Amino acid sequence: MTYTSILVEQRGHVGLITLNRPQALNALNRTLLMELMEALEAFDANPEIGAMVISGNEKAFAAGADIKEMAEASAVEMLERDTIGLFDRIRRIKKPVIAAVSGWALGGGCELAMSCDMIIASESARFGQPEITIGVIPGAGGTQRLTRTIGKALAMEMVLNNRTLTAQEALQFGLVNRVVPVERYLEEALTLAEEIASRAPLAVRLAKEAINAALETSLSEGLAAERRNFYLLFATEDQKEGMKAFIEKRKPQWKGK
């Protein structure tokens, strides 16, 4: 498929999607978001792909939503467009998605990064939810995922008073997995994705599902989901192969079955 706002390539068993609106600091307009979701879903359906990486460029992962696209819109128009609803499609991706963030990740860009399963940040990464400065609030998870990750007090300061987190602060407060030099951030994300892609595919999928249940359900419901997925994996060929390989002290050969 031909895309106008993203670049798509396969690196080994990893699908790489690069946001490609550099003239607008990768601002998230509807076209870009639709293309991004279509590319993620295509990789998710591709048996050769085990994990995905979303990246921008060194200057900006994504500096927010495209304000020009919504400045004059009415509430009804925004409701009918439901561009934010496109973010829900990320939650339905079964394989792990890693955000490789350098430079600005603001507003919708920060929300996009938080919608991913893991974040690798360069030393220049900056995270923020500046919507308050233009008279609105975050609408794609900024008040919800941010609060669950960094806590109420800091989320309040970021959302109500436009505090921006440096890469090291984001690491300190648990927003990102690790911080690396700018020249290595994409390589680090791709390496992590390739390592995950080398694991048993069905176990990775069900592990991701169980971890997400911890954020979205009660403890008892989450434990039940974890236990169900644990038992379910005993119906797979990969479970038999993995345990047999462990006993025989060799590397397992996964089939994703």
Side-chain angles (χ1 to χ4, degrees):
M1 181 175 179
T2 301
Y3 298 108
T4 61
S5 299
I6 62 173
L7 303 174
V8 176
E9 59 182 300
Q10 181 173 339
R11 301 269 190 101
H13 296 290
V14 176
L16 173 61
I17 303 169
T18 304
L19 310 183
N20 190 38
R21 297 187 72 214
Q23 75 285 357
L25 296 178
N26 292 329
L28 304 175
N29 62 9
R30 186 173 179 83
T31 297
L32 185 151
L33 285 170
M34 290 185 67
E35 290 182 354
L36 173 61
M37 302 312 159
E38 289 170 6
L40 286 170
E41 289 164 355
F43 279 140
D44 206 31
N46 185 343
E48 295 183 1
I49 299 297
M52 288 154 271
V53 171
I54 302 174
S55 180
N57 54 52
E58 290 186 4
K59 189 174 182 180
F61 176 71
D66 193 328
I67 306 304
K68 294 179 181 178
E69 197 173 60
M70 65 179 78
E72 300 300 324
S74 68
V76 171
E77 288 170 337
M78 291 296 290
L79 185 64
E80 289 178 342
R81 291 178 195 170
D82 195 23
T83 299
I84 289 175
L86 292 169
F87 279 77
D88 293 339
R89 290 165 65 176
I90 299 180
R91 296 177 65 252
R92 296 195 289 270
I93 298 297
K94 299 178 179 65
K95 297 170 185 175
V97 182
I98 299 169
V101 177
S102 187
W104 298 110
L106 302 177
C110 186
E111 290 169 314
L112 175 59
M114 290 191 294
S115 296
C116 297
D117 301 306
M118 288 161 275
I119 303 175
I120 301 298
S122 84
E123 292 172 334
S124 73
R126 298 292 184 272
F127 298 86
Q129 299 289 164
E131 289 87 348
I132 201 76
T133 66
I134 56 172
V136 292
I137 68 170
T143 66
Q144 303 301 302
R145 290 190 178 92
L146 195 63
T147 304
R148 283 169 167 77
T149 302
I150 66 175
K152 174 185 173 182
L154 188 54
M156 284 284 190
E157 188 175 358
M158 290 182 68
V159 174
L160 274 62
N161 203 38
N162 191 26
R163 174 171 173 179
T164 300
L165 295 186
T166 66
Q168 288 298 333
E169 287 174 325
L171 180 64
Q172 175 186 348
F173 295 115
L175 187 61
V176 306
N177 291 72
R178 67 195 67 148
V179 177
V180 298
V182 174
E183 61 270 18
R184 285 183 43 218
Y185 82 99
L186 180 55
E187 175 188 346
E188 189 79 10
L190 289 168
T191 297
L192 176 60
E194 189 64 50
E195 289 173 351
I196 293 171
S198 73
R199 311 294 182 185
L202 293 175
V204 167
R205 170 181 168 179
L206 293 186
K208 169 178 171 172
E209 181 182 288
I211 292 170
N212 283 333
L215 295 176
E216 299 174 0
T217 65
S218 67
L219 176 60
S220 60
E221 291 171 323
L223 288 170
E226 176 189 74
R227 189 172 303 130
R228 180 184 65 247
N229 287 0
F230 173 75
Y231 291 144
L232 181 59
L233 286 167
F234 279 77
T236 67
E237 294 180 24
D238 281 350
Q239 173 268 323
K240 302 297 185 291
E241 166 63 10
M243 293 190 177
K244 184 178 180 181
F246 177 83
I247 293 169
E248 296 175 354
K249 296 181 172 58
R250 61 174 174 82
K251 186 176 180 180
Q253 300 296 317
W254 308 121
K255 296 182 180 179
K257 297 180 180 179

